[in-house]
Amino acid sequence: MKPQNFEEKVVFYYIISTYLLFFLGAQFVFAPALAWLLTFYLIKKLWQQTSDTPPEERIRIPIGVWVWIVCISVIGLALVVGHLDWGFSTVKTIKSFINSFLRTWALLALFPLIGCLNIRPQIIYRAISILSLQTLILVPITYGLSLTGLEMPLYTSTLMAKIGGNSQRYYAVSPYVIKSGETRLFLFAPWAPALAFACNVHFFLSSRDPDIKWRFIGMIGCAAAIVGSVSRMGIICLVGIPILVTFLGNITEPAIQITAGIGSFIGGLFGPQLLMIARNLKDSFSSQRSASSRVRSALARLSHRKWEEDAPIWGHAIKVGKGPDVVAGMPIGSHHTWYGALYTHGIVGFIGILIPIVYTFIELLIKAQRSKVATTALTILLICILFSFGENLEGLAYLYWPGLVVVGMGLK
């Protein structure tokens, strides 16, 4: 399982070098650079493509990827118009467009586009399994460091911060954090839930590795990182996504349809009791980390109110650097993709992310009935949807981008 062309080599060696880039504080700079490099390479190949190009080397961009390109471009337009509405300077607008669009939102369209290159999904699966082996080695080392009480971050790459902009947390090397006596792993991510998000994507990619040895190494390494992150959403995804994908990926099977029918009947009979159980589970989920749940809830309310009152169409253009004390200083518009899109880019931005996600879900659901790659892509999309209610998808795309490439493959 070795890369055979330029695009496979770039993707493969980038993935297995993730920890090297992390310790250099360079991920947030290098991942967008990778996206734009391979995008220009794709454009070059399209330009050179002729009727004599062998079928196996031809590039075809499906409608689903075009939907992402167009809709994410609309978000870029919303960012520029928002800056004009709020009277920001031209220099500020250009800086925001680079840091808050070209390095974030644009990746949601570029990486699915890169999935249209001649990259075998098995190459990504194997690279993720190798990365997970590194994770499996670093997890006990990280816990050992935490026992020494070593303060985090170890250091912050000021050079990369100057190049990349945005929050300093993207360039801080913090393998873990200790809060209230509890160690939470960060490893190659800027915070614990981000690690859980990326490793859930990695878990289901490595589960497709054709070699059973590498498959189990990859899955165990990812599971260890998810558990070590102590992320509630991470654990829910790890347990619940396989069940959901099994149902959705076989929805045309009679056994699944009969099971769904019986479940609907039982749900109708015991609806109030099931709602009560769901409410109790939600309360239990929130109480496990009540301070975090309270901050996230306050951020959602503030984002919605300020969007509705101040900038319903084009949004506020930027996130405030530091929020009020009620949200523990977290920027308004953070920790939630949907409220974040509303606050920052208004209803235009909200629709710009809603349309491609809905379209992709429907198309992958249809294709997953007959394609394993589409089933894997659907799995990645479902993880993104679940985490979108607690994280900003655009801000973490530089971490889980291999999943976005597979989404592009599924659409192709």
Side-chain angles (χ1 to χ4, degrees):
M1 188 65 65
K2 294 182 179 179
Q4 296 178 349
N5 54 35
F6 173 75
E7 52 263 51
E8 285 191 349
K9 288 176 182 177
V10 171
V11 167
F12 181 84
Y13 290 113
Y14 183 100
I15 292 173
I16 66 175
S17 302
T18 294
Y19 278 105
L20 172 62
L21 294 172
F22 166 70
F23 284 111
L24 292 173
Q27 287 186 101
F28 192 73
V29 174
F30 276 60
L34 169 75
W36 287 104
L37 169 68
L38 289 179
T39 297
F40 288 128
Y41 178 73
L42 181 144
I43 293 170
K44 174 177 172 285
K45 292 196 72 173
L46 271 176
W47 183 264
Q48 296 174 341
Q49 192 166 281
T50 66
S51 57
D52 297 326
T53 303
E56 65 274 10
E57 294 182 12
R58 290 182 183 175
I59 295 174
R60 179 180 61 85
I61 303 175
I63 294 175
V65 172
W66 281 115
V67 169
W68 278 98
I69 293 171
V70 171
C71 290
I72 296 301
S73 297
V74 169
I75 294 178
L77 174 65
L79 183 144
V80 173
V81 175
H83 276 71
L84 295 175
D85 272 356
W86 288 90
F88 292 115
S89 68
T90 302
V91 173
K92 173 65 176 176
T93 303
I94 293 172
K95 284 185 177 179
S96 292
F97 190 77
I98 293 172
N99 293 326
S100 300
F101 180 73
L102 297 182
R103 286 179 173 146
T104 55
W105 282 109
L107 304 189
L108 298 179
L110 295 183
F111 281 119
L113 177 62
I114 289 165
C116 299
L117 285 167
N118 296 313
I119 302 172
R120 291 168 292 162
Q122 293 82 3
I123 280 292
I124 293 180
Y125 304 157
R126 178 57 52 83
I128 292 295
S129 295
I130 294 172
L131 174 62
S132 299
L133 174 61
Q134 299 171 21
T135 297
L136 200 56
I137 294 170
L138 285 173
V139 164
I141 295 175
T142 303
Y143 275 117
L145 282 175
S146 71
L147 293 176
T148 67
L150 186 65
E151 291 187 4
M152 292 292 136
L154 293 174
Y155 54 88
T156 299
S157 176
T158 53
L159 173 62
M160 290 299 167
K162 288 180 180 179
I163 296 172
N166 289 338
S167 172
Q168 292 280 322
R169 296 185 70 178
Y170 290 116
Y171 312 100
V173 178
S174 299
Y176 66 88
V177 71
I178 300 176
K179 275 191 175 182
S180 304
E182 179 183 53
T183 300
R184 301 188 69 185
L185 299 184
F186 287 10
L187 297 179
F188 58 86
W191 48 81
L195 176 67
F197 185 3
C199 284
N200 262 285
V201 172
H202 291 178
F203 178 90
F204 291 102
L205 292 178
S206 61
S207 71
R208 297 294 186 183
D209 194 303
D211 186 287
I212 190 169
K213 178 188 68 176
W214 278 113
R215 190 186 315 155
F216 279 106
I217 288 173
M219 294 168 69
I220 292 169
C222 292
I226 293 167
V227 172
S229 72
V230 200
S231 166
R232 296 166 295 172
M233 185 62 76
I235 299 296
I236 288 173
C237 277
L238 188 62
V239 175
I241 288 292
I243 300 170
L244 186 57
V245 171
T246 300
F247 175 78
L248 293 176
N250 298 279
I251 204 167
T252 58
E253 297 294 326
I256 295 294
Q257 294 176 358
I258 292 169
T259 302
I262 294 171
S264 298
F265 176 72
I266 294 173
L269 288 177
F270 302 101
Q273 292 88 340
L274 292 174
L275 285 173
M276 182 62 71
I277 291 172
R279 192 176 294 112
N280 290 338
L281 286 173
K282 180 181 180 298
D283 292 341
S284 175
F285 179 87
S286 298
S287 65
Q288 288 179 8
R289 198 164 289 112
S290 57
S292 174
S293 297
R294 187 167 56 251
V295 167
R296 290 176 184 272
S297 178
L299 276 170
R301 291 195 305 271
L302 274 173
S303 299
H304 183 270
R305 191 183 75 208
K306 286 186 171 293
W307 158 72
E308 195 172 38
E309 293 176 353
D310 300 340
I313 306 300
W314 299 102
H316 291 78
I318 60 172
K319 294 183 180 76
V320 178
K322 186 176 181 182
D325 292 340
V326 70
V327 292
M330 296 294 179
I332 300 172
S334 64
H335 291 75
H336 202 291
T337 297
W338 305 101
Y339 285 121
L342 279 173
Y343 175 81
T344 312
H345 305 301
I347 194 64
V348 174
F350 182 89
I351 294 173
I353 186 64
L354 177 66
I355 289 176
I357 285 181
V358 171
Y359 179 92
T360 303
F361 174 78
I362 294 171
E363 182 170 344
L364 291 179
L365 179 62
I366 295 169
K367 291 183 175 180
Q369 310 308 314
R370 61 183 187 275
S371 167
K372 289 184 178 180
V373 175
T375 302
T376 305
L378 178 62
T379 304
I380 303 308
L381 183 68
L382 290 171
I383 294 170
C384 290
I385 291 171
L386 286 175
F387 270 95
S388 71
F389 296 100
E391 297 290 337
N392 294 91
L393 294 181
E394 76 282 5
L396 296 177
Y398 78 100
L399 285 181
Y400 65 88
W401 66 265
L404 294 175
V405 175
V406 174
V407 169
M409 294 176 178
L411 291 170
K412 184 179 68 171

